[in-house]
Amino acid sequence: MKLKSLILGSVAAAGLSTAGFAADLGVLTSLDVCDSLGISGLTISSADNCLAISGKVAYEFNWGDYKGNWAPFALAARAGTRNVIDNDAGATADLNNDWETKVETWLKFVGTASSDFGPASATIKLKSITQTVFTNEGAPTVGGDATTNGAGSNGAWIVDEAFVQVGDTTTLMAGKKGSVANFGDDEPFNWLGLFNSDAVDKGVMFAKDHPRTGGHVIQVVSSLGNGVTVKAGLENLDRDSAVGAFGGFYDGVTAAQSAGTLVGVVEYAGEGIAAHVTGLAGGILDGVVEDWAVHAGVTGTFDAFKIRAAGAYSANNVNDTYWNVLGSAEGNFDMFTIALSGEANGGTNNGVALANQAGFGASVGATVTEGVRINLGGRWFDENTDVANTEGYQVAAQVVAAVTETITLTGEIGVYGSTRAVVAPASQTDFYGKAELGWKPGGQFESSLGAEVHQNGAYKVTFKASKEFK
């Protein structure tokens, strides 16, 4: 006991002596500021600021005969043109190949320090897109083109995000960034998804960008506890008349009139339940609400089952309306997964009713052996429920096999079809097949090589490679 007491006393004395010596020399004895703020990854720290750095480079190359200017077959609009690739019908022989090359890059810096109100940060995200597209080998005599698209100008770096943020359970944000609007909990569970859902960015949605969100914003997000979060934002403050007149959803509304969107969100995340309601009022800066919209979704997870319901509604001040609803369910039974989904939408244009549309989809997935999974699915869509022969469909089968821990092989065969009458050379069906070899060796590097061919003569080979760091 005496020896133990002597050792403990010596250690304590040495610790006090070292601490005093360190204090005399001004040595920092606290945790690194990034650790104290709970920030990990690629960081640089000073005495009171932590700079987190992240970024990504993604490359994609496509080659083949896939950018034709004729309808591949008479599918309903939602079911056809957004899902089937075309060959260049009518193109001069030896001048019908298409290709495109794209490099997308972003670099993000987040500088964070502590404050009396919680962490205070400034975010800057730079982005560049360089893309060159050739149709029909760029030959204008056969309707081809060579176009280049970029963020700003081709390959130019632009400021994609630049905003400040402060707070913990309640956060204030201001600057250039994305929206606080929640448009989630609305994607179908079935493997192929749904046709109209694909057309509006995987879910239920009103006309794209109406009301407009994000851009220059002032936002507040607050957690109320018990899984409830509320959000409010004044967004789209940077619209100006130089952009020109709006078309499409608006009739004669200028860009300046559409400036300013008020966003409000209530979210809940609890045991097995996720739900939200998002409301938007657009164009409020001129004192007149040009358009407004509501988006809601709920997902429930109960042991082996999941159910989802979602809906969206929008309107403007020239009697245009749009509604869209979706329901989906999924069950997991040992090696099988079964999913069913349905959707419907409609609306008015200048007060005149548009055609009501509806669709459904179903799929069965099975893990047949370790690392091998089979998916079978189909989807159907009716462009006008009051008129005969306006339907389109897709049926497909897929095999996903993990060849090794880093290599995955995916194969798919299927057919798109239509009940519409057709005129040659179009067809009521388009059988297709595609395969992809994916490689993920680690280090956030991903690459893939894929190819697809279609009955209508179209074909495409795609190579992708990307690396993210954070």
Side-chain angles (χ1 to χ4, degrees), residues 69-448:
N69 51 18
W70 63 288
F73 55 92
L75 272 183
R78 292 288 199 209
T81 57
R82 297 175 185 272
N83 295 278
V84 181
I85 63 174
D86 265 345
N87 70 343
D88 298 307
T92 302
D94 301 323
L95 286 176
N96 56 3
N97 282 339
D98 313 307
W99 62 85
E100 55 191 297
T101 180
K102 178 181 178 181
V103 178
E104 184 170 351
T105 313
W106 60 265
L107 191 60
K108 187 174 182 178
F109 305 90
V110 181
T112 307
S114 60
S115 78
D116 293 339
F117 194 64
S121 66
T123 297
I124 301 173
K125 182 180 179 182
L126 305 177
K127 186 176 182 179
S128 170
I129 300 176
T130 303
Q131 182 177 16
T132 302
V133 181
F134 285 90
T135 301
N136 294 340
E137 303 178 28
T141 57
V142 291
D145 61 8
T147 58
T148 304
N149 305 295
S153 59
N154 182 46
W157 284 90
I158 66 166
V159 178
D160 189 51
E161 291 183 348
F163 64 93
V164 294
Q165 175 176 319
V166 64
D168 191 359
T169 56
T170 297
T171 305
L172 171 67
M173 297 165 283
K176 180 181 181 181
K177 66 182 294 291
S179 178
V180 295
N182 185 339
F183 299 131
D185 289 311
D186 67 344
E187 294 188 23
F189 294 132
N190 63 301
W191 164 51
L192 289 175
L194 296 169
F195 280 116
N196 190 67
S197 171
D198 283 354
V200 293
D201 294 333
K202 308 287 186 184
V204 298
M205 196 65 176
F206 27 83
K208 292 183 179 179
D209 295 329
H210 301 292
R212 292 180 178 266
T213 56
H216 291 195
V217 304
I218 302 171
Q219 301 166 336
V220 176
V221 175
S222 183
S223 175
L224 304 183
N226 297 318
V228 179
T229 301
V230 294
K231 303 177 180 180
L234 188 57
E235 304 180 354
N236 187 36
L237 301 175
D238 50 328
R239 298 293 295 169
D240 63 74
S241 57
V243 178
F246 261 59
F249 193 68
Y250 285 104
D251 292 330
V253 175
T254 67
Q257 287 176 297
S258 72
T261 299
L262 182 63
V263 182
V265 183
V266 178
E267 298 175 346
Y268 174 76
E271 181 109 13
I273 299 291
H276 76 274
V277 177
T278 296
L280 307 98
I284 66 172
L285 293 187
D286 65 353
V288 177
V289 175
E290 262 67 42
D291 58 344
W292 61 274
V294 176
H295 185 284
V298 58
T299 301
T301 303
F302 312 99
D303 296 326
F305 297 93
K306 290 196 296 185
I307 59 172
R308 172 169 289 167
Y313 181 84
S314 65
N316 65 18
N317 57 8
V318 291
N319 296 318
D320 293 338
T321 63
Y322 178 75
W323 59 267
N324 190 357
V325 294
L326 180 149
S328 190
E330 178 185 276
N332 292 280
F333 310 95
D334 295 327
M335 60 181 290
F336 293 100
T337 299
I338 300 175
L340 300 171
S341 304
E343 64 181 348
N345 65 278
T348 61
N349 181 19
N350 291 321
V352 178
L354 298 173
N356 289 327
Q357 303 175 333
F360 68 84
S363 64
V364 177
T367 303
V368 293
T369 63
E370 184 177 356
V372 178
R373 183 171 180 82
I374 296 176
N375 293 307
L376 304 173
R379 55 179 176 171
W380 169 91
F381 190 74
D382 190 346
E383 195 79 3
N384 188 338
T385 58
D386 294 326
V387 179
N389 298 323
T390 59
E391 298 87 6
Y393 63 87
Q394 180 190 10
V395 179
Q398 181 190 66
V399 177
V400 182
V403 181
T404 68
E405 291 184 354
T406 62
I407 297 176
T408 301
L409 180 62
T410 303
E412 180 179 328
I413 58 172
V415 59
Y416 289 93
S418 173
T419 61
R420 290 189 174 190
V422 299
V423 178
S427 170
Q428 284 183 306
T429 61
D430 178 28
F431 289 89
Y432 71 91
K434 57 184 178 180
E436 181 182 84
L437 185 66
W439 181 41
K440 296 182 180 180
Q444 290 79 52
F445 179 88
E446 297 182 12
S447 183
S448 66

